[in-house]
Amino acid sequence: MSGTNFTLIMEFILLGFSDLPNLQGFLFGVFLVTYMSILTGNGLIIVITKVDPALQTPMYFFLGNFSFVEICYTSVTLPRMLMNLLTQNRNISVVACAVQLCFFLILVIAECLLLAVMAYDRYVVICKPLYYPLIMNYKMCVQLVIGAWITGIPVAVGQTYRVFFLPFCGSNKLNHVFCDMPPVVKLTCGDTFASQFSVYADAALFALIPLLLILGSYVKIIKTILKLPSTTGRYKLFSTCSSHFMVVILFFGSGFIVYFRPKSNNSEGLDKVFSLFYTIVTPMFNPMIYTLRNKDIIGALRKLTLK
């Protein structure tokens, strides 16, 4: 492409919240407390789902794995954000950016698929209770979790290679809080249509399809619950599913706004805000959502603290 200023960029500058110079210390404190709460809350869920005999069921097996994904998922982005805020050094090498993006994509896909698996588990236990022990046996649960983890690896590696194989031109300033796909693609030159199309195609495949499966499961769950004669039984089952559905709305809602919202020159600030929802807010509220509405987990926490 004649006339295009291709440059060999060796590092990016993550602008993050550089437009708020007077709030750097405050933001560092907020994100540090948030990260500690994410590690503590999700770590507690992992521990109690492993050690409490009453929680040795598929639902809590998936919840423990989901909490582990949340910890890994947050640890890919938040420590770097904290370092940038503390040192004011926002430089990140192209290799480090590619590694961060690759792991981020792997964990995003794993989270989407695990949320779909958890919805399927609720569907089986409510709509097919007699077959539940047969369908959701230990082997099946392990296979579903492993599948959620490894499915995204080739996709993430391929997407990362495709994007970073393109030349970068002009500015090396990445107007985001971490190396996410849309802002990185925006800095590339040449024929970016194929890369942009593959980004949205994979987002549709690994986010939209799991979301549709989740919604389909809940449609069948709600139909089954409404047929129950007991009001108490209906309330109990709705309460069991509501925590998971709240996490789904938080995670998928903010993710779809970032990836599928019409872009404009003034949308980068909003993208940063909404990206914090699915990278920080959901992992932070996940333990609270599941704990406050779950008597089994509250009981397990009490037993753990009294030991």
Side-chain angles (χ1 to χ4, degrees), residues 43-282:
L44 273 174
I45 288 182
I46 293 170
V47 170
I48 62 176
T49 54
K50 290 293 183 184
V51 302
D52 195 295
L55 302 183
Q56 304 304 305
T57 64
M59 181 177 78
Y60 295 111
F61 174 75
F62 294 134
L63 179 58
N65 279 276
F66 182 73
S67 294
F68 180 66
V69 171
E70 296 276 56
I71 289 175
C72 297
Y73 176 59
T74 310
S75 298
V76 169
T77 57
L78 252 181
R80 184 87 199 191
M81 288 170 55
L82 290 170
M83 185 182 72
N84 293 349
L85 287 168
L86 182 64
T87 65
Q88 299 300 303
N89 179 13
R90 298 182 175 87
N91 293 6
I92 181 171
S93 69
V94 171
V95 173
C97 186
V99 170
Q100 185 185 60
L101 177 60
C102 186
F103 278 101
F104 176 73
L105 292 177
I106 290 171
L107 291 163
V108 166
I109 293 172
E111 182 147 354
C112 291
L113 295 177
L114 268 177
L115 284 170
V117 166
M118 293 167 77
Y120 175 70
D121 174 68
R122 295 297 83 202
Y123 160 74
V124 176
V125 76
I126 293 173
C127 301
K128 300 180 183 293
L130 296 178
Y131 296 97
Y132 184 71
L134 182 63
I135 296 174
M136 301 304 293
N137 56 66
Y138 181 74
K139 182 179 179 181
M140 174 60 73
C141 293
V142 171
Q143 289 175 342
L144 288 171
V145 169
I146 292 175
W149 271 97
I150 68 173
T151 299
I153 294 176
V155 178
V157 172
Q159 280 285 18
T160 305
Y161 175 80
R162 181 190 291 272
V163 170
F164 282 87
F165 182 75
L166 292 170
F168 294 95
C169 62
S171 174
N172 67 335
K173 294 180 179 178
L174 202 62
N175 193 9
H176 208 59
V177 291
F178 61 93
C179 290
D180 201 357
M181 187 65 78
V184 172
V185 171
K186 190 174 182 180
L187 297 183
T188 60
C189 298
D191 185 11
T192 62
F193 174 78
S195 293
Q196 291 176 344
F197 176 79
S198 65
V199 168
Y200 291 109
D202 285 342
L205 180 63
F206 291 103
L208 185 58
I209 291 179
L211 178 59
L212 291 175
L213 291 173
I214 291 169
L215 295 177
S217 298
Y218 274 104
V219 168
K220 294 182 178 180
I221 287 170
I222 292 171
K223 286 182 178 179
T224 302
I225 291 175
L226 291 177
K227 293 178 182 177
L228 294 175
S230 169
T231 304
T232 305
R234 287 200 298 267
Y235 175 79
K236 184 178 179 181
L237 291 178
F238 272 125
S239 179
T240 302
C241 299
S242 60
S243 301
H244 176 259
F245 198 65
M246 288 170 66
V247 173
V248 168
I249 292 172
L250 270 176
F251 178 76
F252 282 100
S254 54
F256 275 108
I257 288 173
V258 171
Y259 276 81
F260 293 103
R261 181 170 58 87
K263 302 298 178 184
S264 66
N265 293 331
N266 299 321
S267 67
E268 292 175 335
L270 286 175
D271 286 345
K272 284 191 277 189
V273 172
F274 283 114
S275 67
L276 293 178
F277 269 88
Y278 67 84
T279 55
I280 297 176
V281 175
T282 303

